[in-house]
Amino acid sequence: MTASNAFDERLDDLVETFDLLGDWEERYRHVIDLGRSLAPLTDAERSEANRVRGCASQVWLVTEMGPDGALLFRGDSDAHIVRGLIALLLNLVSGLRPEEIADFDAATALNRLGLSANLSSQRSNGLAAMAERMRRDARAHLPVR
C-alpha cells in the first residue's frame, strides 16, 4: 500500500466512524475521547520551539523522523477538544513520508468529516495552523533537489 493510499484509507475510516456516530454532539465527544488517548508530552517538549502559533489554546507539536523515513508526530494541548483535533490530524498523517504530508489538504479532509461546519472560526484557524505546521515540518525533511 502506498502512502497516499494509506492516507486515503485512514481518512475513509475516520469518515465511516463519524458517519456511524450520527449527530455532532456524538462526534464532538468522540473527538474529545481521541484526545484522551494521546500520550502527554514531557515538560521539555512543551517548549516555545514546539508551540504552534495561530492557536487560541496552547498547542505543542513534536516532529521526529522515523527509522523508515516516515515522519512521526506527537502533540498536546491544554484544551480537551483541541487535543482531540490534534489526535485526528495525527491519525491522518503521522507515519507517512514527508512528500505525502507536504501537500496535505487538511481543509478537504476535515470537510469530509463534517468538522468545518461545526467548529468555531477560532478552532478552525487553530486547526489550519496545526496542519500548516505539519506541512512545513514535512517540507523541511524533503530531499534537496
Side-chain angles (χ1 to χ4, degrees), residues 2 18 34 42 58 64 71 87-88 105 114 139 142:
T2 66
F18 272 58
L34 287 174
T42 65
Q58 292 292 313
E64 300 165 325
L71 289 181
L88 277 176
D105 184 357
R139 288 181 192 123
L142 289 174

Side-chain angles (χ1 to χ4, degrees), residues 114-145:
L115 286 176
S116 301
N118 294 293
L119 290 177
S120 68
S121 61
Q122 193 173 35
R123 285 204 176 111
S124 292
N125 291 339
L127 196 55
M130 288 183 269
E132 179 54 35
R133 168 70 181 277
M134 291 173 156
R135 283 192 299 269
R136 189 187 75 212
D137 288 358
R139 288 181 192 123
H141 286 87
L142 289 174
V144 178
R145 294 185 179 173

